Amino acid sequence: MISLQSILPNSKPKLAPLVSSEAHCFVAQSIEWIWRLLDQVADQKPTCLLAQPDIIDRWQRRTEHEQAPQKVILGEWKHARKFHCGQVLLAIEKASVACDVIVLHLNFQAPGLIEKNLLTDDFFIQLQRWAARQNKLLLVMAQGEIDQDALHVFMQNIVRRFTSLHFIYQSQPDWRWSVQFWFQGYTLSRWNWDIREYTDAHGAVQLQIVTQDSEVTPTQRLGDKAKRLFCSNALEPGEFLPSDWKRIGAETDFRQHVEPGTDATLIIGMLNRDELIAIATRIFDLRKHAGMYLRILIRARDESLRLQDERFLISAGATLVLPSELSTRRVISLAETTLGFTYTHTLPETFDELKTNRLIDDVKGYLVPLDFVERVKRAQLKAERQGLDTLFIEADVATGLTPLSLIRRFRSRRPGDMITVSHGKLILFFYGCRETDAENVLYMSFGIPAANLFRREARFTRHGQILDACAQLEAEEKHHPSDDLSQAVSRRHDLAPRTPDLHTPAHGPVRKAKYI
């Protein structure tokens, strides 16, 4: 019997124990979760990991600096010309003879022959029967995105064979561990809970279950009879309001006009993006005071707000953020359609915590690889929480170019646009960038058409893929660090001015990239 309780400190309800002769499936978006699960299991029982060569190599690099002996016996898949079920079972038996737990790793982010052919329904039935006879616990840890076709096919084939099915993925606002089903004998149990990160008194990051119970006591809500408040900075000079709307001053304490539990409507104006933090602070305090039923609408007065700014305001307590092109009549009409809205986000304890989790760090340009990894991971987590697109590129530069020359040409347009070089490979990260805008963004960043930049490249846009690429880059750099090019980049002013390449065709105006 194995307990996974230690993964979730301070958590209730507790996970049921994993019992020998059962089979459980964990689908994780990031390989870091698979490592964490594997650590917990191997701490309790001798464990055999069966995986592709690259996963075995990454596990070995991850654990090579540990002083304790290896806790996991490793088994590497080798492809034969033909698949024989009996030979595969015999190989698994030999590899796991001293182990109580067998972990099968499947990578659906880059599926190979194992993912496509090995775990068919027929083979899995025989594997499960063999594990039951040998009194071994079988864990399948699948790495992939929930909406991937290959993962769906796998689930449709053999999901009914498992004792339990888990999904570990990141959604709004943090990580979620969803237990879809868990059989105990002939009894079916179901749980669903959200897990979020928090920092304890010692500065360590921990996980805890977020309760879905409302902390606001329901009060008598008035519906269409509730207060309608319009902040003066949300109006054009000389505009008039309908009689059922009340104008209030922009500098007043909004909490004086609403009571806890009210379902009133308040429209606040934002003249420009410079007011973002100040207004977010005020609506955060207002939401804490009034609760989930108050409807707070932010009316942008110019076009400076970006999508990530709107998401930040909603995370701070806003119900809707309305664009600047809407007329006052249209704004009022939309506000009236929010009748019955309930704010469903979970506010952190403090506004500073919200800023830390949501706002992008003011960093851009070249970073040494390990700093690049750390900054990208922070930015990616924030982008995922806000539903923003990001672009991660690994590339071999084209003939005639060098990584250093491209770094020197790199024009960092905004915070979150970062570049590094690891073992001769150029690596880029663009925050808030759609994949469809990649060519334009690359041209604007380097002044060279995207088709002429790289000899070979790989682009990642999915959250799990980017975190996985960061983990692999971090492991490689810790094993064999790359050169720090900071000083070489800083000497760019000593270079001769760039002259246009006469062989490069002239380009017309570049379409502006649709950065979020």
Side-chain angles (χ1 to χ4, degrees):
M1 184 174 69
I2 294 177
S3 172
L4 296 182
Q5 171 62 20
S6 55
I7 293 179
L8 303 174
N10 307 321
S11 61
K12 295 180 181 180
K14 296 182 179 180
L15 284 171
L18 306 179
V19 182
S20 297
S21 76
E22 292 182 345
H24 301 265
C25 181
F26 296 83
V27 180
Q29 194 180 48
S30 170
I31 198 170
E32 291 301 321
W33 269 100
I34 293 178
W35 293 154
R36 188 166 188 169
L37 291 167
L38 190 55
D39 285 335
Q40 294 294 327
V41 172
D43 280 341
Q44 300 173 64
K45 294 286 185 179
T47 301
C48 176
L49 171 64
L50 303 176
Q52 296 279 39
D54 61 321
I55 298 299
I56 296 297
D57 181 61
R58 291 175 64 178
W59 174 263
Q60 288 176 322
R61 291 203 306 266
R62 177 178 179 268
T63 58
E64 66 182 357
H65 299 297
E66 296 181 1
Q67 296 181 357
Q70 290 285 341
K71 300 173 294 186
V72 179
I73 293 176
L74 304 175
E76 181 180 310
W77 292 117
K78 295 291 186 181
H79 295 292
R81 184 169 300 177
K82 291 184 179 180
F83 176 76
H84 298 283
C85 180
Q87 294 180 2
V88 174
L89 290 176
L90 181 61
I92 293 176
E93 182 174 9
K94 290 181 179 180
S96 61
V97 64
C99 299
D100 298 319
V101 183
I102 300 174
V103 176
L104 302 180
H105 176 274
L106 304 176
N107 185 6
F108 289 100
Q109 292 178 344
L113 294 177
I114 298 298
E115 288 76 16
K116 294 178 180 177
N117 301 321
L118 180 60
L119 287 186
T120 60
D121 187 53
D122 179 64
F123 171 73
F124 192 78
I125 292 174
Q126 297 189 50
L127 178 62
Q128 194 172 18
R129 290 173 179 171
W130 169 84
R133 291 195 304 269
Q134 300 294 324
N135 197 31
K136 295 183 184 294
L137 175 63
L138 181 61
L139 303 181
V140 174
M141 295 187 182
Q143 179 185 347
E145 304 285 343
I146 293 177
D147 59 350
Q148 284 181 311
D149 292 339
L151 182 59
H152 281 184
V153 172
F154 165 69
M155 291 297 173
Q156 291 170 1
N157 285 341
I158 63 170
V159 69
R160 64 188 181 277
R161 303 292 178 186
F162 291 110
T163 304
S164 70
L165 174 63
H166 308 245
F167 289 97
I168 304 173
Y169 59 97
Q170 190 169 31
S171 62
Q172 301 295 335
D174 292 300
W175 283 98
R176 167 174 292 179
W177 182 328
S178 175
V179 181
Q180 296 295 322
F181 63 83
W182 194 315
F183 283 97
Q184 294 177 298
Y186 292 100
T187 302
L188 176 63
S189 301
R190 294 178 184 271
W191 295 287
N192 284 285
W193 61 80
D194 292 330
I195 299 171
R196 74 174 177 89
E197 299 175 351
Y198 75 98
T199 304
D200 62 19
H202 303 288
V205 176
Q206 301 288 343
L207 297 174
Q208 68 180 5
I209 291 179
V210 180
T211 62
Q212 301 302 315
D213 298 332
S214 170
E215 297 179 0
V216 179
T217 302
T219 61
Q220 182 69 29
R221 297 189 292 279
L222 301 179
D224 59 357
K225 302 297 183 182
K227 289 182 180 179
R228 291 173 168 86
L229 306 172
F230 213 111
C231 192
S232 58
N233 66 353
L235 285 170
E236 296 290 344
E239 282 189 313
F240 294 94
L241 292 173
S243 59
D244 53 349
W245 284 83
K246 178 182 178 181
R247 183 196 300 249
I248 62 174
E251 302 302 325
T252 61
D253 187 349
F254 298 141
R255 292 173 293 186
Q256 297 176 357
H257 297 276
V258 296
E259 303 79 24
T262 182
D263 59 339
T265 304
L266 172 62
I267 300 177
I268 304 172
M270 178 177 288
L271 299 180
N272 54 63
R273 192 175 182 273
D274 294 338
E275 297 181 337
L276 178 66
I277 299 299
I279 290 182
T281 303
R282 298 184 70 186
I283 64 176
F284 179 86
D285 295 336
L286 180 61
R287 179 64 70 187
K288 286 277 190 179
H289 164 76
M292 66 179 68
Y293 302 114
L294 176 66
R295 292 165 282 161
I296 306 173
L297 287 78
I298 307 297
R299 183 186 187 186
R301 299 297 302 280
D302 67 5
E303 299 179 356
S304 62
L305 279 187
R306 298 188 179 95
L307 182 57
Q308 59 261 39
D309 301 329
E310 297 179 9
R311 300 279 174 84
F312 177 66
L313 290 170
I314 291 175
S315 299
T319 303
L320 289 175
V321 180
L322 304 177
S324 58
E325 57 265 23
L326 295 181
S327 65
T328 299
R329 178 181 294 182
R330 182 61 175 153
V331 168
I332 291 175
S333 176
L334 285 173
E336 291 174 343
T337 64
T338 62
L339 182 66
F341 272 33
T342 301
Y343 185 76
T344 58
H345 291 255
T346 302
L347 293 179
E349 292 296 325
T350 65
F351 184 74
D352 286 339
E353 184 179 346
L354 179 69
K355 287 198 300 182
T356 300
N357 291 335
R358 297 286 175 171
L359 293 183
I360 184 67
D361 296 337
D362 188 14
V363 60
K364 58 184 178 179
Y366 172 77
L367 298 172
V368 295
L370 287 178
D371 288 344
F372 175 88
V373 167
E374 186 61 31
R375 295 289 188 169
V376 168
K377 288 194 293 186
R378 290 186 203 173
Q380 183 61 29
L381 289 173
K382 292 178 182 180
E384 182 67 14
R385 287 168 181 154
Q386 298 177 71
L388 298 176
D389 293 326
T390 55
L391 180 62
F392 187 100
I393 300 176
E394 294 180 350
D396 296 323
V397 301
T399 304
L401 299 173
T402 65
L404 180 58
S405 67
L406 288 183
I407 290 177
R408 285 171 168 164
R409 295 183 68 103
F410 185 66
R411 304 182 185 96
S412 306
R413 297 180 60 251
R414 298 188 317 158
D417 294 350
M418 295 173 275
I419 187 171
T420 192
V421 174
S422 176
H423 305 109
K425 188 182 296 291
L426 195 72
I427 304 176
L428 294 152
F429 179 79
F430 294 103
Y431 184 83
C433 176
R434 299 184 181 95
E435 186 178 12
T436 54
D437 293 315
E439 276 66 28
N440 291 318
V441 171
L442 289 170
Y443 184 80
M444 295 169 67
S445 299
F446 295 102
I448 300 175
N452 300 336
L453 278 173
F454 309 130
R455 182 175 70 255
R456 187 183 304 108
E457 64 174 295
R459 298 180 182 180
F460 306 105
T461 57
R462 291 181 178 272
H463 177 72
Q465 291 176 329
I466 293 176
L467 291 186
D468 193 23
C470 286
Q472 185 170 1
L473 175 60
E474 183 177 26
E476 292 173 352
E477 285 296 323
K478 288 182 177 179
H479 179 70
H480 182 59
S482 300
D483 294 334
D484 183 352
L485 303 178
S486 300
Q487 292 186 356
V489 174
S490 65
R491 292 197 297 267
R492 61 184 301 172
H493 60 274
D494 297 330
L495 299 176
R498 291 194 299 268
T499 56
D501 187 349
L502 298 179
H503 299 287
T504 301
H507 294 272
V510 179
R511 180 173 63 87
K512 183 179 179 181
K514 295 180 181 178
Y515 259 61
I516 295 177

